[in-house]
Amino acid sequence: MSFPTRTDYVEDVSPGSGALPPRAWYSSSDAASLPLGGSWRFRLSDTAGAQDDSFAAPGYDAGDWAEVSVPGHWVLQGHGSPAYTNHLYPFPVDPPRVPTENPTGDHLRVFDLPADWPAGGDAVLRFDGVESCARVWLNGAELGEFKGSRLPHEFAVGPLLRTSGNVLAVRVHQWSAGSYLEDQDQWWLPGIFRDVTLLHRPADGVRDFFVHASYDHVSGTGTLRVDSDVAGRVTVPDLGVDVPTGEPVTVPVEPWTAETPRLYDGVLATGGERVPLRIGFRTVELSDGLIKVNGRPVLFKGVNRHEWHPEKGRALDLATMREDVLLMKRHNINAVRTSHYPPHPAFLDLCDEYGLWVIDECDLETHGFTEQGWRDNPVDDDRWTPALLDRAARMVERDKNHPSVVIWSLGNEAGTGRGLTAMAEWIHARDASRLVHYEGDHTCRDTDVYSRMYASHAEVERIGRHLDGGPVRRRELPFILCEYAHAMGNGPGGLADYQRLFEAHDRLQGGFVWEWIDHGIAHPELGYAYGGDFGEELHDGNFVCDGLLFPDRRPSPGLVEYKKVIEPVAITGDGAAGTVRVTNAYDFADLSALAFSWSYEVEGESVDSGSLPVPALAPGESAEVKLPAVPVAAPAGEAHWTVRAVLASGTAWAPRGHVVAWGQLPVSARRTPYVAATARPAPGDGVITLGPAVFDARTGALRTIGTVPVTGLRLDVWRATTDNDEGAAWQSDLRYGRVWRRLGLHRMRHRLDAVEAGEDALTVRTRVAPAGRELGLSAVYRWTSDGDRLRLTVSTVPDGDWTVPLPRLGIRFRLAAADRVRWYGGGPGEAYPDTRTASRIARWQSTVDELQTPYVRPQENGARIDVRWVELGGLRVEGDLAYWFTARRWTTEQLDAAAHRTDLVPGAASDGGSAAGVWVNLDHGQHGIGSQSCGPGPLPRYHLRAEPAEFSFVFSPAAPPKAG
């Protein structure tokens, strides 16, 4: 037997050869199957044709080969390195050619058939995902080759099987013509990364089938018809259904929705096989210019989800997929766009079961062709159309029986062209029960939804008001933001402002935050690695870390904010009047599954609580509910009502008592701290004493408050720029981080103008300005005391032509030591002007280390908003006005210079020496966060303008912590 080396298929624009037609995926049946995952022998070559095909023959000795796990990526198992690009192809753009340097992995798996493997029938070998091109042999016989990395491919293998010693050989090429269709803002990770399975196909077994299960919201009935390539019967015991395939039956049913995911268990039985069915009755339509399900418009509160695991890449197991779905449900997310490819099919099973709307997106993106004005773009080249249609068919046929899938997406950022039109026409003809989406179709010629990315709030409002212009067809369609609120680093800001627009205009049917999870790769030295950390020639840095989850799946503050912004129950009212207004913001469910409670809080501590009767409001309904009388024994002070909606009973996705929504209603205002200026500044030996404080007599610098050393107190305007401050490279709008650095705000100089010890105050006059610029800030520190407490009033006036906002405005200082932190104000997590919705007023406690938000690329983080007082390091600090508080074990400058978390070392001085301590910021103002790492910056109302300001803090010794 000869084994010629053949590589022509690698650069062939066709989808491949030898594979069976695509069909519906199902996870189980009574037919036998054999998973072929586990340890495989592996050999890596530098080029596609470096090795001949002899390894595919039975008896080949691969004993000296390495081993890799399948599913898996070989570059995450010690063979080569991953590479990240957002849209640039990491190889020369010369379609369909790819470089000679083409990492190629030969995989070998020897397996025996189980003893109970059925005799007779046929067998199919199924690959659920291989990147990017594979050629397959079984027992020395070539089965074919295929492209379409995140799509299934099956081969008939029955006559080739042996009882024992079956040799499965797979040659995988990292680069192929198919790579031009898979430029999807993610790590390039070659390998067999999804399941490989041998499926017995009994005589007269199930082949392909299509479950049609519509719902008539007027009559309350569902119509079921199961079309099958092989005749059989369909039974649904709960509905009393027993009909032949192809025959419709109409019965009363409970409909499927993302809020009420009712599934009916059924069976498709042919002469040789029984396949379990999970049937959800629902109807998707475009009606009255809106996306409607079961007769009602839906509001998508969604996320874009790449498949990711920090150690396994896109090789996800079922537990990880379930964790994603549970986290989404617990954070009020109701929709997923499968960016930018169909997910593992088991994920869609979970969406059916737990309830999530799904936009299922085809494995298609040609974004790199933007660099040449879309010239030679495959989607407008007829030679590539068969490959595009193959990808569309493999998605639709695989996933067509999932009720969660309500919209098909042609792909992402692939320009425009005839190939996309052909895909849309094929999908519309094959499945008229769903809508078709593609963001790049701005004329909506081929699509049923007007979709955009990262449109500003102002543009979204114009669209909502039908003032956006454009073709007539587009103006008549519903609008979604298929990507918005770029969740990169600290952010996204402006979520609440978008949500108010969605809820105000019927045409705006929600959006999908970009994206679900940071794609950091676990790294022993860096913590999590991102683009460039593996020596890539081209890369896009930490742009791959732009998720609502950190790589280890811990929720970021952005996800906590999103949960609050999209909560399905609105709780507002008049706290002083003792009334609360509850509004059901679900699309389908009433409030019968929720229990409501109240808590009356004074100075951040609950003094009484109880249950709150709320009617089971229908979707869209509201009710005014009377709160109980203020507790007679309630102490005086700032008071709030906090009302919560929680699960009355446990569900499949969260336990009883899980908080779904909450609202906080102020009752009485806080009292401003008062310090009588009765103490006089007292000169001493090089120092000035004022009440509990000691100052340097020459510079006016604060040295101690009581027994607590305080150093370096000064005006501060700089923050370690966030990813959103820095902005995206292609943004034409003002990128504040770049402008701030150009002005020198990161290296402000402090000039002492005067130290004045008066009758009742110590006044220090300064000017703060960057070198090389004439603009600056005049800052006056006025210190007063009543003998026990110390009051600082800071007055600032901008000098010069300030044309940009400030990053922050406040004071910072260093404490020699601090660990435990207590505060009264917003919490429990960080918040900024446009990310504050989830911040609740209460008393909180933490450690300094726990205050930090572990963004993969370090940046400004950890500020607590609306702080009334904070205690740490032996000090208590109250504010005349509510303020922001931040504390960390490194300076802002060290935070700003860090590229990875591991660069931040507590106690390390910027000159390499030791500088143990805690740096504290008390901020009068912070600039907003926005979403400009890819979307719009913060709205003007969240800008911190350079204008005259005055703010005060009161320092005193902290009370010792209570025992226990």
Side-chain angles (χ1 to χ4, degrees), residues 22 225 376 455 559 576 584 595 635 648:
R225 187 185 82 246
D376 299 327
L559 181 56
N584 181 355

Side-chain angles (χ1 to χ4, degrees), residues 823-845:
W823 75 97
Y824 170 37
E830 74 180 26
Y832 292 84
D834 53 347
T835 66
R836 62 183 298 160
T837 311
S839 185
R840 180 167 58 86
I841 304 300
R843 293 198 189 194
W844 308 100
Q845 57 182 331

Side-chain angles (χ1 to χ4, degrees), residues 215 217 255-261 290-302 329 332-335 355-357 406 480 499 502-506 508-512 566-570 583-591 594 617-621 660:
Y215 178 71
H217 66 278
W256 187 97
T257 74
E259 297 166 7
T260 56
L290 299 173
I291 303 166
K292 293 185 179 180
V293 179
N294 302 337
R296 293 185 180 182
V298 294
L299 183 60
F300 294 121
K301 303 171 181 179
K329 294 292 291 187
N332 295 329
I333 289 164
N334 72 1
L356 288 167
W357 308 116
V406 293
I480 62 170
Q499 195 65 25
F502 297 158
E503 294 172 358
H505 304 286
D506 291 343
L508 306 180
Q509 293 198 251
F512 296 78
I566 61 175
E567 60 190 9
V569 182
T583 301
N584 181 355
Y586 284 111
D587 292 326
F588 297 92
D590 64 22
L591 299 187
L594 302 180
L617 301 169
E621 287 187 343
V660 173

Side-chain angles (χ1 to χ4, degrees), residues 405-715:
V405 176
V406 293
I407 297 175
W408 301 115
S409 179
L410 303 181
N412 183 67
E413 293 178 315
T416 59
R418 292 163 289 177
L420 288 164
T421 297
M423 293 171 70
E425 290 175 348
W426 185 91
I427 293 173
H428 276 119
R430 176 61 174 140
D431 180 21
S433 70
R434 294 176 173 93
L435 307 183
V436 172
H437 163 274
Y438 175 64
E439 184 271 342
D441 182 12
H442 289 177
T443 66
C444 298
R445 178 187 63 183
D446 302 323
T447 53
D448 304 308
V449 180
Y450 179 29
S451 175
R452 288 286 305 283
M453 296 179 180
Y454 307 108
S456 69
H457 297 82
E459 183 178 3
V460 170
E461 183 167 21
R462 288 195 299 273
I463 294 169
R465 296 181 181 276
H466 295 268
L467 300 176
D468 53 307
V472 173
R473 171 170 167 76
R474 192 181 81 184
R475 296 200 305 270
E476 295 173 345
L477 293 179
F479 176 81
I480 62 170
L481 277 168
C482 68
E483 294 179 23
Y484 82 114
H486 197 249
M488 185 176 177
N490 187 334
L495 282 168
D497 304 280
Y498 274 117
Q499 195 65 25
R500 280 191 284 271
L501 293 173
F502 297 158
E503 294 172 358
H505 304 286
D506 291 343
R507 187 189 184 193
L508 306 180
Q509 293 198 251
F512 296 78
V513 169
W514 185 267
E515 66 167 306
W516 177 236
I517 188 169
D518 287 343
H519 301 196
I521 294 177
H523 192 284
E525 284 91 37
L526 303 177
Y528 291 108
Y530 49 76
D533 288 334
F534 298 97
E536 299 102 304
E537 181 181 29
L538 295 175
H539 67 85
D540 285 287
N542 68 312
F543 201 70
V544 76
C545 294
D546 47 11
L548 293 169
L549 295 180
F550 297 120
D552 59 4
R553 282 183 161 72
R554 281 185 294 167
S556 75
L559 181 56
V560 176
E561 174 80 355
Y562 195 36
K563 174 187 177 180
K564 173 63 179 165
V565 165
I566 61 175
E567 60 190 9
V569 182
I571 299 172
T572 58
D574 186 336
T579 59
V580 60
R581 183 175 181 83
V582 177
T583 301
N584 181 355
Y586 284 111
D587 292 326
F588 297 92
D590 64 22
L591 299 187
S592 59
L594 302 180
F596 290 78
S597 64
W598 59 268
S599 174
Y600 187 77
E601 296 144 5
V602 178
E603 298 294 313
E605 293 187 302
S606 177
V607 297
D608 203 359
S609 61
S611 60
L612 185 69
V614 174
L617 301 169
E621 287 187 343
S622 298
E624 296 279 350
V625 179
K626 188 67 177 175
L627 291 162
V630 172
V632 175
E638 181 183 17
H640 291 87
W641 295 100
T642 299
V643 176
R644 295 176 176 85
V646 305
L647 291 178
S649 302
T651 69
W653 49 270
R656 178 178 180 270
H658 168 78
V659 177
V660 173
W662 61 271
Q664 195 164 47
L665 313 176
V667 178
S668 55
R670 65 183 293 258
R671 295 171 293 186
T672 301
Y674 174 72
V675 177
T678 55
R680 295 188 173 187
D685 185 11
V687 300
I688 296 174
T689 301
L690 178 61
V694 176
F695 299 84
D696 185 291
R698 183 178 60 86
T699 64
L702 179 65
R703 289 185 175 180
T704 61
I705 299 177
T707 61
V708 179
V710 181
T711 56
L713 189 147
R714 66 187 191 188
L715 189 75

Side-chain angles (χ1 to χ4, degrees), residues 26 29-31 200-202 204-206 268-275:
Y26 50 94
S29 79
D30 63 354
H200 181 250
R201 305 311 307 135
D204 204 22
V206 172
L268 167 60
T270 64
E273 187 176 11
R274 293 171 58 85
V275 174

Side-chain angles (χ1 to χ4, degrees), residues 23-49:
R23 65 186 181 115
W25 185 91
Y26 50 94
S27 59
S28 64
S29 79
D30 63 354
S33 65
L34 178 63
L36 294 176
S39 180
W40 289 46
R41 289 292 182 177
F42 176 77
R43 175 181 66 187
L44 182 64
S45 302
D46 292 334
T47 66

